[in-house]
Amino acid sequence: MLRLGPLAATAARCLPAGPRPGPPCLAGSRGPLSRQVRAAADGERLPVLKTPKGTRDHPPAQAALRERLLSAVVSCFKRHGAAAIDTPVLELRETLVGKYGEGTKLIYELQDQGGELLALRYDLTVPFARYLAMNKITNMKRYHVAKVYRRDNPAMTRGRYREFYQCDFDIAGQFDPMIPDAECLKIVHEILSDLQLGDFVIKVNHRQILNGVFAICGVPESKFIPACSTVDKLDKVPWEEVRSEMVGEKGLSPEAADRIGEYVQLHGGLELIERLLQDPKLSQNKLAKEGLGDMKLLFEYLTLFGITGKISFDLSLARGLDYYTGVIFEAVLLQQENQHVEEPVSVGSVAGGGRYDGLVGMFDPKGRKVPCVGVSIGVERIFSILEQRLEASGEKLRTTETQVLVATPQKHLLAARLKLISELWGAGIKAEMLYKKDPKLLKQLQYCEETGIPLAAIVGEQELADGVVKLRVIATREEVDIPREKLIDEIRRRLEP
Amino acid sequence: MLRLGPLAATAARCLPAGPRPGPPCLAGSRGPLSRQVRAAADGERLPVLKTPKGTRDHPPAQAALRERLLSAVVSCFKRHGAAAIDTPVLELRETLVGKYGEGTKLIYELQDQGGELLALRYDLTVPFARYLAMNKITNMKRYHVAKVYRRDNPAMTRGRYREFYQCDFDIAGQFDPMIPDAECLKIVHEILSDLQLGDFVIKVNHRQILNGVFAICGVPESKFIPACSTVDKLDKVPWEEVRSEMVGEKGLSPEAADRIGEYVQLHGGLELIERLLQDPKLSQNKLAKEGLGDMKLLFEYLTLFGITGKISFDLSLARGLDYYTGVIFEAVLLQQENQHVEEPVSVGSVAGGGRYDGLVGMFDPKGRKVPCVGVSIGVERIFSILEQRLEASGEKLRTTETQVLVATPQKHLLAARLKLISELWGAGIKAEMLYKKDPKLLKQLQYCEETGIPLAAIVGEQELADGVVKLRVIATREEVDIPREKLIDEIRRRLEP
């Protein structure tokens, strides 16, 4: 959390300190607080000053950057016609159990305080499925931006937290194959391009192809999931390690592992799909054949979208979660701007998703399925990249939108400031004043420079006598007297982009 | 939750159902899910389909209304120069303990899963104080819009939930008296006026005045807080009941209770303040005198803001929370539009706040104080009013912002739709298409009418041959052929407000 220090300090400078002698309202501030309160106030039991492990505060500078990032993501979701929904942070425990495989042990559970047994949501996908089944909704295109919770080992510098935002876009409904799936990949492409995060690749695979591979390599169906999670490690560790884990921990035969190795190390484009469709063994497997058919159609649509250049059909992609049933994908950044390496290195996944046709059915009393496909944008990782970039650039983000500071050059003019500022507020102009009876003009102008306020509206005795307001442009120090009745229009004119 | 039914149904209509026969990607959707997953899919153990008690989902229509409400509140906060911060939903338990008096028993605690003992935040004020102390911030003007959690008895029709949004604006720092306090009241006035919720009054009081009253009526300081919480009930029950609770439960003498009654039933404006400043007993009490001095200054500033018409100095206002130390206030709506009663009736508090100069000091190792004053807008209550009003009006809120539907009149034109829609997305135009290979034109136009999409861009064989796109205005059914290269500009022109 140390990195937040300087930003917090910026926030601290947001308002200039007032006069030292406390205002009268402070005198009695030790008033009759409750017993514990007074105990604590007397320092008998001071709470540890920290946020829970794996969580953090967002000071204004970070909150402003995050707002930019989230609004960029949301505007893409809206461009694709998604509606927003919101679901509770709390879910019944039983709603979450058995949906996340190994992830289940990372779910935050609430204490039994009487009543229902609750947990904090682990992602936004299972609550979405619960929502669809609960309301008998058979088709919907929605986005959801909200925090989720995982008792994970945080790696906060790399943007991994226990409380973090997810930005999900999902399409539920029975439609013609691969059209919604293609749109999800288009969305990832649009967002990563818009954010200018540098070069990226979107790996695509299909659970049925993987299962087909396992099947023809002699893996019993009961071991498909474990084999999957082992294959998934190929982006981090070399094949030899993956192989030994398959044979060792997962108990596959060496021959099976070797045969799997021949397939899962393949990656390419349409030509690879065609090749595998001709593969004597794979083409005989129903699951694989269907999966490859989907992939071929998907690539056709992605070609029409003009984004195949960044798509890689990668048989090593498996994705951790249990509920995927079809197309799966994951976007990785190839290198960060500030790095200058010959070999583009992966800085990890910034988006992922896939098709989960069985999940809603798990919540439906009659097991009625609602096919779904969706994407989740890894905004925390992206945020930490943007944050590093901002720090490197030295650019200072404005944390407020104030347009005008109402200032006075002499003493005893608080009333004039209060009258003027409420006129500005009434006209919808974003205005501030210092909370002092008689602030120095210099301090007021410094505050504008520190916080980036472009204009100062100055009322002194002379201006009041003349019925004008002195409008000062902070950047140029230009000053001009504006008749009071024309002030609002003049400010609006000068604020026009 | 029943009231959500129709809205959920609306959401369900968001996308027209596709063809019944499942797409191939469904065939293998029973794939190798994990054991529990398959168990659940087979209906062995189906989770109860509900959200936790006191919580609710927000279907698109509600989410859209809520977005409107929150952005109105936030834009007011920004107009007053506040910066945004975010803090975790989780706090260390010890951070929350002993800050809420009787409220403490309503805190959600997390199960001890090893590591820190955690709880869900109860409000946004204590986390703000923790944040200030932790980062040694001595002055700051911030807003925070987020969910808080209370194990309360929900009254959901009246907008009371266990998970609910709070919208807080706070000013921290040592400034000249009553200037920040006055701005908080101005903000409440602006928000309630902007939202046009009907007539309202903002009750104002001062903890030191109440304490002064208790003192001169012979109440021992140890009983100030209990007496406070009893007085606070005067807006719901008649004085006689409050009196008997004071004498009975709270153990005050009948004489003390009667003397208190003479004061706490008073309400008025500046003239009442003046009268109490002349009150032989009260004017002799230091606390009361300071409090009345604050109130006089506050009314002076509120007069300059021109809002005293809606302000009532009400000695019965006490506010529940322990941490208030100075000015306290609460806004109540006097009557709802749809009600036609002679006597305006209070429909309950929609905003409240006050000064808490001791809270930050409770977190500071050296007990250093940072005086604070803030306001919290009761958006849930306001939301349920707006929701009822919307239902009454029969107006249907758009849940998406889609501007153009890309449609085709004949079969085998999916490729043409995919090419055109990606051009529109590329130009930043919000566009949708149906996820079917060959949808009927009628269905496509119906979808526009159902979801409020204003334009349809139609490409048929003829249009493709002529290098044009048929642009249809859904409302007027006017159709005009636009040269492909002019389409984007034409759409933008027609979408201009």
Side-chain angles (χ1 to χ4, degrees), chain A residues 15 50 116 139 176 183 435, chain B residues 15 50 116 139 183 435:
Chain A
L15 295 178
K50 69 184 292 295
E116 301 160 323
N139 50 47
D176 285 331
E183 184 168 15
Y435 300 122
Chain B
L15 296 178
K50 70 184 290 294
E116 301 160 324
N139 51 48
E183 183 168 16
Y435 300 121

Side-chain angles (χ1 to χ4, degrees), chain A residues 148-186:
Chain A
V148 300
Y149 299 82
R150 298 181 186 182
R151 296 182 46 262
D152 215 338
N153 282 329
M156 304 204 277
T157 47
R158 299 211 330 277
R160 276 187 55 205
Y161 294 84
R162 288 183 159 192
E163 174 186 67
F164 58 97
Y165 272 99
Q166 276 195 343
C167 300
D168 284 19
F169 172 99
D170 294 79
I171 300 170
Q174 224 155 42
F175 304 115
D176 285 331
M178 294 303 111
I179 306 177
D181 311 61
E183 184 168 15
C184 289
L185 291 166
K186 179 75 168 77

Side-chain angles (χ1 to χ4, degrees), chain B residues 463 466 468-471 479-483:
Chain B
E463 287 77 14
D466 303 349
V468 300
V469 171
K470 196 179 290 299
L471 199 60
E479 289 188 340
V480 47
D481 285 351
I482 311 289

